[in-house]
Amino acid sequence: MKMKRYGSFDEFLADKPVKHQAIIRALRRFVKCTTPKLEESVKWGNGCWLKGKVPVAYAYSGPDHLQFGFFRGASLKDPKALLQGKGAYVRHIKLRKPSDLDEKAFRALLKQAAC
């Protein structure tokens, strides 16, 4: 399958299923409030947040869930064991509705990832 290209984060958002758009909007607000210096972008067909040119976090829209992931997730302290994945670097949290966003726990992870 060929990866879709988007000219902006807004285009990425508009192309996702309605059920995921609400989650992505909640993540946008959360990231902007928590780490306002991160910039939105689209990389590898996913909505991403960058520190300069370095990817920090991403939103991936799967068939039945949305992933909020961290490019250096394997190195993050995760006391609530929220992060999933087995790769050498990337880890993610699966979200099925906006209320799955645990701001306190996610904030700790995002601040680590963005430093």
Side-chain angles (χ1 to χ4, degrees):
M1 178 176 9
K2 196 170 185 174
M3 187 182 315
K4 282 195 169 185
R5 293 185 181 266
Y6 302 101
S8 69
F9 197 99
D10 287 328
E11 285 180 24
F12 161 78
L13 173 64
D15 189 49
K16 298 305 155 199
V18 173
K19 64 183 180 179
H20 291 171
Q21 288 181 16
I23 301 168
I24 295 167
R25 283 189 192 98
L27 284 170
R28 283 180 105 174
R29 286 189 300 273
F30 166 74
V31 171
K32 186 172 181 129
C33 288
T34 303
T35 49
K37 291 186 179 182
L38 293 185
E39 296 178 25
E40 291 181 341
S41 186
V42 179
K43 300 275 186 199
W44 311 285
N46 299 304
C48 293
W49 290 275
L50 312 177
K51 182 177 182 181
K53 293 184 179 185
V54 178
V56 173
Y58 68 89
Y60 163 79
S61 181
D64 66 340
H65 67 278
L66 187 107
Q67 290 181 6
F68 180 46
F70 301 95
F71 289 95
R72 295 185 309 113
S75 67
L76 301 179
K77 293 178 185 171
D78 180 20
K80 291 196 171 194
L82 297 173
L83 297 173
Q84 300 176 23
K86 297 180 181 177
Y89 303 102
V90 178
R91 295 287 185 277
H92 66 272
I93 302 166
K94 290 182 181 176
L95 304 158
R96 289 181 170 75
K97 56 191 181 301
S99 62
D100 288 343
L101 197 161
D102 177 342
E103 289 197 21
K104 184 176 179 183
F106 285 27
R107 184 174 293 111
L109 293 168
L110 182 57
K111 286 192 174 225
Q112 285 180 73
C115 69

